[in-house]
Amino acid sequence: MNLTGRTRRLGIERGQLTIHSDHGSPMIAKPEKEKTKLASDLAKARKVIDVQGKLSALLEEFAAGSAQDESGETR
């Protein structure tokens, strides 16, 4: 069976199947670009989560200190 017969069996019409052999093709470049962007976004999100965690811990310390000050205790 030739390539045309196989593509018809898969439901692919003539002209829809494109085979790229070079690695610089748009079919490869687009997912690579998206992968790079997603990796960058993930790194940013991890930094934000880290900062939020540190801020939360700091605010808890301030809240605990404030509660002690209001009850008349010294820090």
Side-chain angles (χ1 to χ4, degrees), residues 20-33:
H20 293 279
S21 60
D22 63 319
H23 293 289
S25 73
M27 292 181 72
I28 294 173
K30 186 176 179 180
E32 286 296 325
K33 184 177 179 182

Side-chain angles (χ1 to χ4, degrees), residues 1-11:
M1 183 182 305
N2 62 15
L3 184 60
T4 305
R6 289 182 192 146
T7 57
R8 283 192 186 135
R9 258 189 352 165
L10 293 172

Side-chain angles (χ1 to χ4, degrees), residues 40-56:
S40 174
D41 289 349
L42 179 60
K44 288 177 191 175
R46 285 181 173 158
K47 286 179 186 177
V48 167
I49 291 168
D50 182 51
V51 169
Q52 286 176 336
K54 290 176 181 177
L55 179 61
S56 177

